[in-house]
């Protein structure tokens, strides 16, 4: 929770950011001050300037210390300049402070005409923020084969799903969709779906349903008003939340919050839009509405509503419009737009409502590392990844010979996920990496590490191996999927 200073002000870390960041952050700070909220800002650096000084993470120690102290940050967009640093400073900040939930609302706004105007879009994408392909675990497995691990945990799923339902309660929303690709990725995306189905009954007043993510994208374009809250994995959420921003007028209007149990970081969905930097033309609404979310997080509900109403009145009256709405040759300068919102503080739109928000209950899950304790588990085989230019037939025969006299027998080899040995008669375009699946000969026993290493030692006499995976059976069910074409 937030830190309050001795003089009663709430302490917030402020990262102006890169490109258009300082302009939109300054505009927001000015509006918050005009609304009379007592905030003490601790200004800190991150992003481009930090990378250029040679710090590879883009996030200096002082900034980490500030957020650790204040627990709340308002952040402008950060850039990773080409040739500096490897990881995004944005992702680093989200991960360092375990802000596992990315909340991205998209609501139709008055005076912002889109092909969807009048349909009442008012939805929130709740995106898991730290796992999935964004765990950032990538390897070149052979000179021509790259891999990125998609890491999904039961604990991560439970946290994001509970957050989605608690958000529904806090905002008086009625429906939560869980959007996954569980039909293809049964274990990873499927874990989110299964966890959703287990937890949903604890929220009986909220309608819950699962939707396949590609259909979700289709439905969002076709009939977006049917959605209330969509909870989804990191990559899916990244993509569909940019889509939902476009439905309501673009990135200039898309706020977001990164919520964790300890820390919250508020930022616009958009980036640093460098071509508009310093021109006083950019739309500050996205970060302003992110700051409105921050005020609610800080229990400043009245000030948050006051600012939200001022934005709605400003847009409804349409006397000022930024360049992204009317074209940059005709747009209102950022500073004038900001001052107009300030002049509208205290006014209320008669037609456009502001929700009756309540604090979001954040679930504290047990910190046990072995979060899931199975009743039974055993290792029943192994996948050994081999780099070779042999044909499937040549490799398969060689591995069968090598496995003779060991505890394991070759079940199949696959290439790029498709079974190619024993031969299937299908046409598969192979590359120099095979996944070779060995299963324990005695079906009732458990594979020991010594038995696995015996096989590996034999294989490495003839072939270059890349990595191995143990095949687990957990609570009697396989903890691995079959290759395409595998029986
Ligand atoms: P971007 O900065 O979001 O800009 C893309 C386009 O979106 C802009 O050219 C502009 O469209 C529109 N736009 C963005 N913000 C706007 C605003 N406030 N008002 C009006 N229009 C706005 O995306 P990018 O060009 O792909 O990325 C630039 C840099 O930002 C990259 O270094 C990227 O890594 C970084 N980035 C940071 C974050 C973050 O900090 N969370 C997020 C995304 C990207 P038009 O060109 O059509 O006018």
């Amino acid at each position: 929770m937030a830190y309050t200073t001795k003089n009663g002000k709430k302490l917030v870390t402020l990262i102006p950011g890169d490109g258009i960041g300082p302009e939109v952050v300054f505009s927001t700070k000015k509006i918050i001050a005009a609304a009379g909220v007592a905030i003490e800002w601790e200004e800190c650096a991150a992003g481009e300037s930090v990378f250029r000084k040679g710090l590879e993470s883009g996030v200096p120690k002082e900034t980490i210390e500030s957020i650790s102290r204040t627990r709340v940050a308002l952040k402008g967009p950060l850039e990773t300049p080409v040739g500096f640093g490897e990881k995004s400073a944005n992702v680093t900040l989200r991960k360092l402070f375990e802000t596992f939930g990315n909340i991205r609302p998209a609501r139709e706004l008055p005076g912002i005409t889109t092909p969807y105007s009048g349909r009442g879009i008012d939805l929130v994408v709740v995106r898991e923020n730290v796992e999935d392909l964004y765990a950032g675990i990538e390897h070149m497995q052979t000179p021509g084969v790259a891999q990125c691990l998609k890491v999904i945990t039961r604990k991560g799923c439970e946290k994001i799903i509970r957050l989605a339902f608690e958000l529904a309660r806090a905002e008086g929303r009625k429906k939560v969709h869980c959007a996954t690709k569980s039909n293809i990725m049964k274990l990873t995306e499927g874990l989110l779906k299964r966890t959703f189905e287990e937890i949903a009954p604890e929220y009986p007043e909220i309608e819950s349903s699962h939707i396949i993510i590609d259909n979700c994208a289709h439905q969002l374009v076709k009939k977006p008003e049917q959605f209330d809250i969509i909870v989804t994995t990191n990559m899916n959420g990244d993509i569909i939340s940019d889509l939902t921003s476009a439905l309501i007028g673009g990135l200039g209007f898309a706020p977001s919050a990164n919520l964790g149990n300890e820390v919250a970081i508020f930022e616009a969905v958009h980036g640093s839009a460098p071509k508009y930097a310093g021109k006083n033309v950019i739309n500050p609404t996205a970060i302003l509405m992110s700051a409105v979310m921050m005020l609610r997080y800080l229990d400043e509900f009245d000030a948050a509503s006051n600012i939200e109403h001022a934005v709605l009145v400003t847009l409804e009256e349409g006397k000022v419009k930024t360049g992204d709405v009317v074209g940059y040759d005709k747009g209102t300068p950022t500073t004038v737009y900001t001052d107009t919102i300030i002049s509208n503080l205290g006014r209320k739109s008669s037609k456009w409502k502001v929700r009756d928000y309540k604090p979001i209950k954040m679930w504290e899950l047990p910190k046990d590392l072995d979060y899931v304790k199975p009743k039974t588990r055993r290792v029943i085989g192994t996948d050994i990844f081999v780099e070779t230019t042999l044909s499937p037939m040549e490799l398969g025969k060689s591995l069968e010979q090598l496995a003779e006299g060991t505890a394991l027998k070759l079940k199949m080899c696959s290439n790029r996920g498709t079974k190619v040995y024993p031969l299937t008669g299908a046409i598969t375009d192979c590359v120099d990496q095979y996944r070779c699946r060995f299963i324990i000969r005695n079906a009732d026993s458990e594979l020991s590490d010594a038995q696995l290493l015996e096989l590996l030692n034999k294989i490495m006499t003839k072939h270059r191996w890349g990595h191995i995976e143990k095949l687990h059976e957990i609570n009697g069910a396989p903890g691995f999927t079959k290759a395409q074409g595998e029986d």
Side-chain angles (χ1 to χ4, degrees):
M1 250 300 141
Y3 180 89
T4 308
T5 62
K6 279 190 197 130
N7 54 11
K9 291 186 172 180
K10 302 230 162 100
L11 196 60
V12 174
T13 301
L14 185 71
I15 302 173
D18 302 320
I20 59 169
E23 290 164 71
V24 291
V25 163
F26 176 74
S27 155
T28 298
K29 215 175 135 186
K30 193 173 175 191
I31 294 167
I32 290 178
V37 192
I39 289 186
E40 190 167 312
W41 303 98
E42 242 181 56
E43 197 167 314
C44 289
E48 188 186 4
S49 57
V50 181
F51 283 117
R52 287 193 191 280
K53 281 187 191 148
L55 195 68
E56 284 217 12
S57 67
V59 185
K61 195 164 110 299
E62 300 74 43
T63 304
I64 294 172
E65 283 169 359
S66 171
I67 299 175
S68 304
R69 195 167 44 246
T70 64
R71 307 270 152 162
V72 181
L74 181 66
K75 184 183 86 55
L78 305 180
E79 214 171 289
T80 311
V82 179
F84 294 85
E86 193 185 313
K87 299 272 184 191
S88 147
N90 296 303
V91 178
T92 300
L93 277 170
R94 287 172 201 163
K95 281 176 178 271
L96 278 179
F97 294 103
E98 195 58 40
T99 58
F100 63 86
N102 189 205
I103 313 290
R104 295 186 164 188
R107 181 192 172 187
E108 178 177 343
L109 292 163
I112 307 303
T113 310
T114 74
Y116 296 92
S117 292
R119 288 167 63 168
I121 295 173
D122 182 6
L123 59 85
V124 187
V125 175
V126 177
R127 164 191 172 194
E128 199 291 321
N129 215 16
V130 291
E131 298 192 343
D132 197 4
L133 295 163
Y134 293 59
I137 308 171
E138 291 191 291
H139 298 98
M140 291 305 296
Q141 295 206 312
T142 80
V145 178
Q147 175 192 269
C148 177
L149 281 190
K150 182 173 171 79
V151 180
I152 306 276
T153 68
R154 161 71 205 202
K155 191 176 195 176
C157 291
E158 181 161 356
K159 281 158 89 172
I160 198 66
I161 283 161
R162 290 200 181 278
L163 180 58
F165 280 109
E166 291 298 338
L167 183 79
R169 280 190 173 160
E171 298 196 354
R173 293 180 181 271
K174 305 274 175 271
K175 221 177 350 180
V176 178
H177 279 91
C178 175
T180 75
K181 195 70 186 166
S182 55
N183 51 331
I184 301 296
M185 286 164 271
K186 296 199 163 42
L187 295 184
T188 49
E189 291 277 319
L191 188 51
L192 188 77
K193 178 174 183 278
R194 289 192 296 280
T195 310
F196 177 75
E197 287 162 353
E198 277 168 38
I199 290 172
E202 292 182 36
Y203 299 85
E205 79 283 14
I206 297 163
E207 196 186 313
S208 62
S209 53
H210 175 260
I211 184 166
I212 304 267
I213 186 68
D214 34 341
N215 183 33
C216 181
H218 165 238
Q219 294 292 333
L220 275 169
V221 174
K222 212 173 150 195
K223 204 175 164 214
E225 61 275 19
Q226 70 183 290
F227 292 102
D228 208 352
I229 287 186
I230 303 169
V231 60
T232 189
T233 46
N234 203 338
M235 173 106 153
N236 292 334
D238 196 3
I239 297 168
I240 63 162
S241 60
D242 262 35
L243 187 159
T244 55
S245 309
L247 299 177
I248 52 102
L251 286 172
F253 295 100
S256 86
N258 300 288
L259 299 185
N261 286 95
E262 312 285 337
V263 166
I265 302 174
F266 299 82
E267 61 179 330
V269 170
H270 65 70
S272 59
K275 67 182 175 187
Y276 297 120
K279 296 193 173 148
N280 194 25
V281 294
I282 206 71
N283 184 354
T285 312
I287 190 145
L288 176 61
M289 293 308 292
S290 312
V292 165
M293 293 168 84
M294 178 186 84
L295 292 177
R296 293 196 171 106
Y297 182 82
L298 294 171
D299 275 339
E300 297 281 352
F301 286 92
D302 290 344
S305 283
N306 187 12
I307 296 174
E308 189 171 345
H309 271 295
V311 171
L312 292 171
V313 169
T314 304
L315 295 174
E316 190 175 24
E317 290 186 346
K319 291 181 193 152
V320 291
K321 288 188 171 174
T322 45
D324 52 327
V325 180
V326 287
Y328 284 94
D329 49 336
K330 297 193 228 71
T332 308
T334 310
T335 44
V336 175
Y337 181 80
T338 302
D339 291 341
T340 309
I341 293 176
I342 290 173
S343 70
N344 284 328
L345 286 168
R347 294 182 62 198
K348 279 194 175 173
S349 165
S350 53
K351 282 194 264 159
W352 296 78
K353 301 271 170 276
V354 169
R355 279 179 180 274
D356 183 16
Y357 292 88
K358 296 188 182 61
I360 305 169
K361 180 177 165 199
M362 299 295 291
W363 274 81
E364 279 283 358
L365 298 179
K367 295 214 182 312
D368 311 5
L369 293 188
D370 57 341
Y371 189 65
V372 178
K373 297 172 184 71
K375 288 195 186 76
T376 61
R377 66 183 284 176
R378 66 183 181 123
V379 179
I380 59 166
T382 181
D383 279 349
I384 301 182
F385 289 72
V386 170
E387 180 182 340
T388 179
T389 52
L390 293 177
S391 71
M393 178 67 103
E394 290 164 331
L395 177 66
K397 292 284 174 218
S398 164
L399 293 174
E400 277 168 350
Q401 267 182 11
L402 289 166
E404 272 171 23
T406 73
L408 291 147
K409 63 177 179 223
L410 181 70
K411 180 161 187 255
M412 64 102 209
C413 300
S414 69
N415 200 292
R416 289 156 66 239
T418 304
K419 179 178 146 191
V420 289
Y421 183 83
L423 300 185
T424 60
I427 306 159
T428 305
D429 189 8
C430 289
V431 296
D432 60 354
Q433 190 211 38
Y434 290 85
R435 181 258 304 259
C436 309
R437 174 159 290 177
F438 295 87
I439 296 288
I440 194 142
R441 289 180 195 274
N442 177 356
D444 298 326
S445 65
E446 173 161 34
L447 179 68
S448 69
D449 284 353
Q451 289 168 326
L452 198 164
L453 289 174
E454 183 196 4
L455 175 71
L456 192 61
N457 274 319
K458 286 189 153 192
I459 289 177
M460 70 174 78
T461 60
K462 290 263 168 64
H463 305 286
R464 181 194 283 263
W465 66 282
H467 82 267
I468 58 175
E469 285 285 344
K470 286 181 176 175
L471 302 181
H472 290 95
E473 189 186 72
I474 299 170
N475 296 332
F480 51 93
T481 55
K482 287 188 170 154
Q484 220 66 44
E486 181 184 353
D487 295 316

